[in-house]
Amino acid sequence: MSVPSVPAEAVLAQLVQAARAARAQAYAPYSRFAVGAAVLDAEGRIHAGCNVENAAYPQGTCAEAGALAAMVLAGGRQVRAVAVVGEGDAPVTPCGGCRQKLREFAGPDVSVVVADMQRERGRHTMGQLLPDSFGPENLQ
C-alpha cells in the first residue's frame, strides 16, 4: 500500500462535513450515542456512514464500517483520510474494531480527523491509533 499524500485542508473540511451529515442520520435508540464517519478514497471520492444499533446490542454496526462498505461498493480500495464525528467529553476516536477495519484500507500515515458538531477535536495518524498493526502486507 503506497503512502497517500495528506489531503488539502479544504478536502478535510468536506470530509468532516460529510461525517457530520452522516451522524445526523445515525440510528442509536439504545445508547443515544450517534456517530458519523467519512472516508476519502484514492480517487478523491467521499463515502460516509453512520452507526446503526439494534436490539441485539452487539450486532449493531459502527459508522466507520458503514463508510468503508460504501467505499468498497463504489469500487474504492484505498483510504486517503478519515473523519469521525461524535459528541462527548473526550474526542470520539474509532473503536478498536474500527481501527482494524480502517487499517485494511489505510496505511500508517493516513490522517484521522476527530470532531464534534462544532469543531475539530484532534488529528491522528492510523499509525498513532494502531501502532505496529497487522494488515494486508502481513499476509502476502
Side-chain angles (χ1 to χ4, degrees), residues 1 11 13 24 31-34 36 39 41 45 57 67 96-98 119-120 129 132 134 136:
M1 184 176 299
V11 174
S31 72
R32 307 242 189 282
F33 193 76
V39 296
D41 72 16
R45 299 173 297 183
Y57 226 83
C98 286
R119 64 188 170 95
E120 186 177 307
L129 293 176
D132 301 320
F134 183 89

Side-chain angles (χ1 to χ4, degrees), residues 80-138:
R80 291 186 52 219
V82 179
V84 179
V85 173
E87 295 288 338
D89 293 336
V92 176
T93 59
C95 72
C98 286
R99 292 176 191 206
Q100 189 64 49
K101 287 177 183 81
L102 288 165
R103 174 62 182 89
E104 185 69 21
F105 302 98
D109 294 327
V110 166
S111 294
V112 180
V113 179
V114 293
D116 59 28
M117 295 304 282
Q118 290 76 38
R119 64 188 170 95
E120 186 177 307
R121 302 282 306 268
R123 288 190 187 192
H124 310 277
T125 63
M126 282 299 302
Q128 291 169 322
L129 293 176
L130 195 63
D132 301 320
S133 66
F134 183 89
E137 308 81 38
N138 297 97

Side-chain angles (χ1 to χ4, degrees), residues 36-74:
V39 296
L40 176 70
D41 72 16
E43 288 76 38
R45 299 173 297 183
I46 293 174
H47 310 276
C50 62
N51 59 320
V52 179
E53 296 178 349
N54 66 56
Y57 226 83
Q59 300 304 314
T61 58
C62 293
E64 298 89 337
L68 288 170
M71 180 191 78
V72 170
L73 179 63

